[in-house]
Amino acid sequence: MENQTHVLEFVLLGLSEDTELQLLIFGLFLSMYLVIIFGNLLIILAIIADSHLHTPMYFFLSNLSFTDICFTSTTVPKMLLNIQTKTKTITYENCLSQMFFFILFGQLEISLLTAMAYDRFVAICHPLQYTVIMKPQVCGLLLLTSWLLSVCVSLLHDLMVLRWSFCTELEMPQVFCELNQVIRLACSDTFLNDLVLYFETGPLSVIPLIGILFSYSKIASSILRISTMEGKYKALSTCGSHLSVVTLFYSTGLGVYLSSAATKNLRAIAIASVMYMVVTPMLNPFIYSLRNKDIKKGLKKLRNILSIKGHFVSSSEKCS
């Protein structure tokens, strides 16, 4: 294949060539995307509306919900637009932008889940020092560090892609610009990128998981030492939602990795990647609203505020 240093656009082959199946995919992912937007937005508004939720745990949760919205918004709207307009192309510049934000918000989600695990560790294992350790300045610093780390990682990968020249075959069996698929299309030597990707996976994916597991091992031992069942239940209820989200996030990520390693069917890998992209952000609001009593109270308070405002607006219109 010939080299071409200047690429105008890539071709995203999508999940299926079948027109009827594409309509089904469009409806399915549009529904899932709307659930993600409204579900996570409700979590954010509930936390803002209820002053009792202005704590470190829910501060990180609101940022996680915002990250989930952004994470899916980097890819799903473009996928829906391509299906609707029956186009499969994405410009080189848009591809780089999509990769940048996809990696950024993916890494930010890992960092926030780790920060939330640390918050639960301090709350249960060191309850007397909790307000001293998890003060607003520390929470802000953890959030700022998460953002800076995510931006640096994402920028590093994008800058390395800019060095490549590409072959004339520019088709990707994907619905979005995924780094691994872009690497396959490069005609340049990608050894340095592979090396960076290999060494980056450990510190930025595996080490946070080890930190989360360590935190929960300490939390479990502390809960076992609690004498009353009521105390154990209260401690478990504050951790159950977060642990469920962590399990879902890493299990779906592991599923994508194993499916890509076990099969040579690129379309199957694409389906696994897309499901990873939408499943966790879609289920997070359900997990927190169903398992967390504080969020349930916050949602009820938000509903009451909205109903009062609605009643006030309707009364004003009648008077006018």
PDB file of all heavy atoms in Angstrom, residues 10-29:
ATOM      1  N   PHE A  10     -11.225   9.635   7.330  1.00  0.00           N
ATOM      2  CA  PHE A  10     -11.286   8.194   7.545  1.00  0.00           C
ATOM      3  C   PHE A  10     -12.707   7.721   7.229  1.00  0.00           C
ATOM      4  O   PHE A  10     -13.657   8.510   7.253  1.00  0.00           O
ATOM      5  CB  PHE A  10     -10.953   7.838   8.996  1.00  0.00           C
ATOM      6  CG  PHE A  10      -9.529   8.129   9.391  1.00  0.00           C
ATOM      7  CD1 PHE A  10      -9.212   9.282  10.096  1.00  0.00           C
ATOM      8  CD2 PHE A  10      -8.515   7.246   9.064  1.00  0.00           C
ATOM      9  CE1 PHE A  10      -7.916   9.552  10.465  1.00  0.00           C
ATOM     10  CE2 PHE A  10      -7.209   7.510   9.435  1.00  0.00           C
ATOM     11  CZ  PHE A  10      -6.905   8.665  10.130  1.00  0.00           C
ATOM     12  N   VAL A  11     -12.833   6.421   6.996  1.00  0.00           N
ATOM     13  CA  VAL A  11     -14.140   5.816   6.740  1.00  0.00           C
ATOM     14  C   VAL A  11     -14.495   4.915   7.912  1.00  0.00           C
ATOM     15  O   VAL A  11     -13.765   3.977   8.237  1.00  0.00           O
ATOM     16  CB  VAL A  11     -14.138   4.995   5.426  1.00  0.00           C
ATOM     17  CG1 VAL A  11     -15.496   4.339   5.218  1.00  0.00           C
ATOM     18  CG2 VAL A  11     -13.783   5.874   4.249  1.00  0.00           C
ATOM     19  N   LEU A  12     -15.615   5.219   8.564  1.00  0.00           N
ATOM     20  CA  LEU A  12     -16.109   4.413   9.684  1.00  0.00           C
ATOM     21  C   LEU A  12     -17.156   3.442   9.149  1.00  0.00           C
ATOM     22  O   LEU A  12     -18.242   3.865   8.745  1.00  0.00           O
ATOM     23  CB  LEU A  12     -16.710   5.315  10.766  1.00  0.00           C
ATOM     24  CG  LEU A  12     -15.778   6.390  11.349  1.00  0.00           C
ATOM     25  CD1 LEU A  12     -16.548   7.330  12.259  1.00  0.00           C
ATOM     26  CD2 LEU A  12     -14.624   5.742  12.114  1.00  0.00           C
ATOM     27  N   LEU A  13     -16.843   2.166   9.159  1.00  0.00           N
ATOM     28  CA  LEU A  13     -17.732   1.170   8.541  1.00  0.00           C
ATOM     29  C   LEU A  13     -18.993   0.915   9.349  1.00  0.00           C
ATOM     30  O   LEU A  13     -19.981   0.406   8.827  1.00  0.00           O
ATOM     31  CB  LEU A  13     -16.962  -0.140   8.330  1.00  0.00           C
ATOM     32  CG  LEU A  13     -15.765  -0.061   7.367  1.00  0.00           C
ATOM     33  CD1 LEU A  13     -15.071  -1.412   7.288  1.00  0.00           C
ATOM     34  CD2 LEU A  13     -16.205   0.397   5.983  1.00  0.00           C
ATOM     35  N   GLY A  14     -18.972   1.244  10.641  1.00  0.00           N
ATOM     36  CA  GLY A  14     -20.174   1.076  11.465  1.00  0.00           C
ATOM     37  C   GLY A  14     -20.386  -0.362  11.915  1.00  0.00           C
ATOM     38  O   GLY A  14     -19.514  -1.219  11.774  1.00  0.00           O
ATOM     39  N   LEU A  15     -21.581  -0.628  12.429  1.00  0.00           N
ATOM     40  CA  LEU A  15     -21.898  -1.941  12.991  1.00  0.00           C
ATOM     41  C   LEU A  15     -22.548  -2.875  11.976  1.00  0.00           C
ATOM     42  O   LEU A  15     -22.503  -4.083  12.136  1.00  0.00           O
ATOM     43  CB  LEU A  15     -22.831  -1.786  14.203  1.00  0.00           C
ATOM     44  CG  LEU A  15     -22.276  -0.977  15.378  1.00  0.00           C
ATOM     45  CD1 LEU A  15     -23.317  -0.862  16.469  1.00  0.00           C
ATOM     46  CD2 LEU A  15     -21.003  -1.598  15.924  1.00  0.00           C
ATOM     47  N   SER A  16     -23.183  -2.307  10.944  1.00  0.00           N
ATOM     48  CA  SER A  16     -23.874  -3.158   9.971  1.00  0.00           C
ATOM     49  C   SER A  16     -24.093  -2.405   8.667  1.00  0.00           C
ATOM     50  O   SER A  16     -24.223  -1.178   8.651  1.00  0.00           O
ATOM     51  CB  SER A  16     -25.226  -3.611  10.538  1.00  0.00           C
ATOM     52  OG  SER A  16     -25.966  -4.325   9.573  1.00  0.00           O
ATOM     53  N   GLU A  17     -24.141  -3.162   7.573  1.00  0.00           N
ATOM     54  CA  GLU A  17     -24.441  -2.597   6.250  1.00  0.00           C
ATOM     55  C   GLU A  17     -25.934  -2.683   5.941  1.00  0.00           C
ATOM     56  O   GLU A  17     -26.425  -2.019   5.035  1.00  0.00           O
ATOM     57  CB  GLU A  17     -23.656  -3.368   5.173  1.00  0.00           C
ATOM     58  CG  GLU A  17     -22.147  -3.300   5.326  1.00  0.00           C
ATOM     59  CD  GLU A  17     -21.573  -1.948   4.973  1.00  0.00           C
ATOM     60  OE1 GLU A  17     -22.270  -1.191   4.272  1.00  0.00           O
ATOM     61  OE2 GLU A  17     -20.454  -1.638   5.400  1.00  0.00           O
ATOM     62  N   ASP A  18     -26.660  -3.502   6.701  1.00  0.00           N
ATOM     63  CA  ASP A  18     -28.090  -3.712   6.479  1.00  0.00           C
ATOM     64  C   ASP A  18     -28.878  -2.449   6.847  1.00  0.00           C
ATOM     65  O   ASP A  18     -28.778  -1.947   7.971  1.00  0.00           O
ATOM     66  CB  ASP A  18     -28.564  -4.892   7.335  1.00  0.00           C
ATOM     67  CG  ASP A  18     -29.976  -5.343   6.961  1.00  0.00           C
ATOM     68  OD1 ASP A  18     -30.871  -4.484   6.901  1.00  0.00           O
ATOM     69  OD2 ASP A  18     -30.172  -6.548   6.737  1.00  0.00           O
ATOM     70  N   THR A  19     -29.686  -1.940   5.919  1.00  0.00           N
ATOM     71  CA  THR A  19     -30.434  -0.698   6.132  1.00  0.00           C
ATOM     72  C   THR A  19     -31.441  -0.827   7.270  1.00  0.00           C
ATOM     73  O   THR A  19     -31.549   0.067   8.130  1.00  0.00           O
ATOM     74  CB  THR A  19     -31.175  -0.286   4.843  1.00  0.00           C
ATOM     75  OG1 THR A  19     -30.243  -0.229   3.766  1.00  0.00           O
ATOM     76  CG2 THR A  19     -31.833   1.075   5.011  1.00  0.00           C
ATOM     77  N   GLU A  20     -32.193  -1.922   7.304  1.00  0.00           N
ATOM     78  CA  GLU A  20     -33.192  -2.131   8.356  1.00  0.00           C
ATOM     79  C   GLU A  20     -32.532  -2.270   9.723  1.00  0.00           C
ATOM     80  O   GLU A  20     -33.033  -1.733  10.718  1.00  0.00           O
ATOM     81  CB  GLU A  20     -34.024  -3.382   8.044  1.00  0.00           C
ATOM     82  CG  GLU A  20     -34.933  -3.218   6.833  1.00  0.00           C
ATOM     83  CD  GLU A  20     -35.813  -4.437   6.611  1.00  0.00           C
ATOM     84  OE1 GLU A  20     -35.717  -5.386   7.407  1.00  0.00           O
ATOM     85  OE2 GLU A  20     -36.598  -4.431   5.646  1.00  0.00           O
ATOM     86  N   LEU A  21     -31.405  -2.969   9.760  1.00  0.00           N
ATOM     87  CA  LEU A  21     -30.685  -3.131  11.020  1.00  0.00           C
ATOM     88  C   LEU A  21     -30.098  -1.801  11.485  1.00  0.00           C
ATOM     89  O   LEU A  21     -30.046  -1.526  12.690  1.00  0.00           O
ATOM     90  CB  LEU A  21     -29.568  -4.174  10.852  1.00  0.00           C
ATOM     91  CG  LEU A  21     -28.886  -4.666  12.135  1.00  0.00           C
ATOM     92  CD1 LEU A  21     -29.903  -5.249  13.098  1.00  0.00           C
ATOM     93  CD2 LEU A  21     -27.815  -5.700  11.803  1.00  0.00           C
ATOM     94  N   GLN A  22     -29.694  -0.971  10.542  1.00  0.00           N
ATOM     95  CA  GLN A  22     -29.169   0.349  10.888  1.00  0.00           C
ATOM     96  C   GLN A  22     -30.239   1.212  11.551  1.00  0.00           C
ATOM     97  O   GLN A  22     -29.953   1.964  12.488  1.00  0.00           O
ATOM     98  CB  GLN A  22     -28.630   1.049   9.640  1.00  0.00           C
ATOM     99  CG  GLN A  22     -27.244   0.578   9.230  1.00  0.00           C
ATOM    100  CD  GLN A  22     -26.652   1.430   8.120  1.00  0.00           C
ATOM    101  OE1 GLN A  22     -27.380   2.142   7.423  1.00  0.00           O
ATOM    102  NE2 GLN A  22     -25.359   1.364   7.952  1.00  0.00           N
ATOM    103  N   LEU A  23     -31.490   1.109  11.072  1.00  0.00           N
ATOM    104  CA  LEU A  23     -32.597   1.846  11.689  1.00  0.00           C
ATOM    105  C   LEU A  23     -32.838   1.371  13.118  1.00  0.00           C
ATOM    106  O   LEU A  23     -33.109   2.173  14.017  1.00  0.00           O
ATOM    107  CB  LEU A  23     -33.871   1.680  10.855  1.00  0.00           C
ATOM    108  CG  LEU A  23     -33.889   2.381   9.493  1.00  0.00           C
ATOM    109  CD1 LEU A  23     -35.142   1.999   8.723  1.00  0.00           C
ATOM    110  CD2 LEU A  23     -33.803   3.901   9.665  1.00  0.00           C
ATOM    111  N   LEU A  24     -32.720   0.059  13.321  1.00  0.00           N
ATOM    112  CA  LEU A  24     -32.869  -0.505  14.662  1.00  0.00           C
ATOM    113  C   LEU A  24     -31.750  -0.019  15.575  1.00  0.00           C
ATOM    114  O   LEU A  24     -31.996   0.356  16.740  1.00  0.00           O
ATOM    115  CB  LEU A  24     -32.866  -2.038  14.580  1.00  0.00           C
ATOM    116  CG  LEU A  24     -32.992  -2.796  15.912  1.00  0.00           C
ATOM    117  CD1 LEU A  24     -34.333  -2.493  16.578  1.00  0.00           C
ATOM    118  CD2 LEU A  24     -32.834  -4.299  15.685  1.00  0.00           C
ATOM    119  N   ILE A  25     -30.525  -0.013  15.052  1.00  0.00           N
ATOM    120  CA  ILE A  25     -29.364   0.468  15.816  1.00  0.00           C
ATOM    121  C   ILE A  25     -29.542   1.946  16.166  1.00  0.00           C
ATOM    122  O   ILE A  25     -29.256   2.368  17.296  1.00  0.00           O
ATOM    123  CB  ILE A  25     -28.059   0.246  15.008  1.00  0.00           C
ATOM    124  CG1 ILE A  25     -27.754  -1.250  14.911  1.00  0.00           C
ATOM    125  CG2 ILE A  25     -26.888   0.985  15.655  1.00  0.00           C
ATOM    126  CD1 ILE A  25     -26.638  -1.584  13.927  1.00  0.00           C
ATOM    127  N   PHE A  26     -30.039   2.722  15.199  1.00  0.00           N
ATOM    128  CA  PHE A  26     -30.267   4.155  15.427  1.00  0.00           C
ATOM    129  C   PHE A  26     -31.256   4.365  16.578  1.00  0.00           C
ATOM    130  O   PHE A  26     -31.002   5.157  17.496  1.00  0.00           O
ATOM    131  CB  PHE A  26     -30.798   4.807  14.152  1.00  0.00           C
ATOM    132  CG  PHE A  26     -31.073   6.280  14.294  1.00  0.00           C
ATOM    133  CD1 PHE A  26     -30.052   7.201  14.108  1.00  0.00           C
ATOM    134  CD2 PHE A  26     -32.345   6.732  14.622  1.00  0.00           C
ATOM    135  CE1 PHE A  26     -30.303   8.562  14.247  1.00  0.00           C
ATOM    136  CE2 PHE A  26     -32.593   8.094  14.764  1.00  0.00           C
ATOM    137  CZ  PHE A  26     -31.572   9.008  14.569  1.00  0.00           C
ATOM    138  N   GLY A  27     -32.385   3.661  16.533  1.00  0.00           N
ATOM    139  CA  GLY A  27     -33.394   3.793  17.585  1.00  0.00           C
ATOM    140  C   GLY A  27     -32.883   3.346  18.937  1.00  0.00           C
ATOM    141  O   GLY A  27     -33.126   4.007  19.958  1.00  0.00           O
ATOM    142  N   LEU A  28     -32.144   2.240  18.948  1.00  0.00           N
ATOM    143  CA  LEU A  28     -31.620   1.698  20.203  1.00  0.00           C
ATOM    144  C   LEU A  28     -30.629   2.659  20.855  1.00  0.00           C
ATOM    145  O   LEU A  28     -30.752   2.983  22.048  1.00  0.00           O
ATOM    146  CB  LEU A  28     -30.946   0.346  19.921  1.00  0.00           C
ATOM    147  CG  LEU A  28     -30.240  -0.325  21.115  1.00  0.00           C
ATOM    148  CD1 LEU A  28     -31.239  -0.695  22.197  1.00  0.00           C
ATOM    149  CD2 LEU A  28     -29.470  -1.561  20.651  1.00  0.00           C
ATOM    150  N   PHE A  29     -29.666   3.146  20.077  1.00  0.00           N
ATOM    151  CA  PHE A  29     -28.628   3.999  20.649  1.00  0.00           C
ATOM    152  C   PHE A  29     -29.126   5.421  20.930  1.00  0.00           C
ATOM    153  O   PHE A  29     -28.622   6.072  21.850  1.00  0.00           O
ATOM    154  CB  PHE A  29     -27.392   4.017  19.744  1.00  0.00           C
ATOM    155  CG  PHE A  29     -26.532   2.804  19.934  1.00  0.00           C
ATOM    156  CD1 PHE A  29     -26.674   1.689  19.117  1.00  0.00           C
ATOM    157  CD2 PHE A  29     -25.611   2.745  20.957  1.00  0.00           C
ATOM    158  CE1 PHE A  29     -25.901   0.563  19.299  1.00  0.00           C
ATOM    159  CE2 PHE A  29     -24.825   1.625  21.153  1.00  0.00           C
ATOM    160  CZ  PHE A  29     -24.970   0.523  20.325  1.00  0.00           C
TER     161      PHE A  29
END
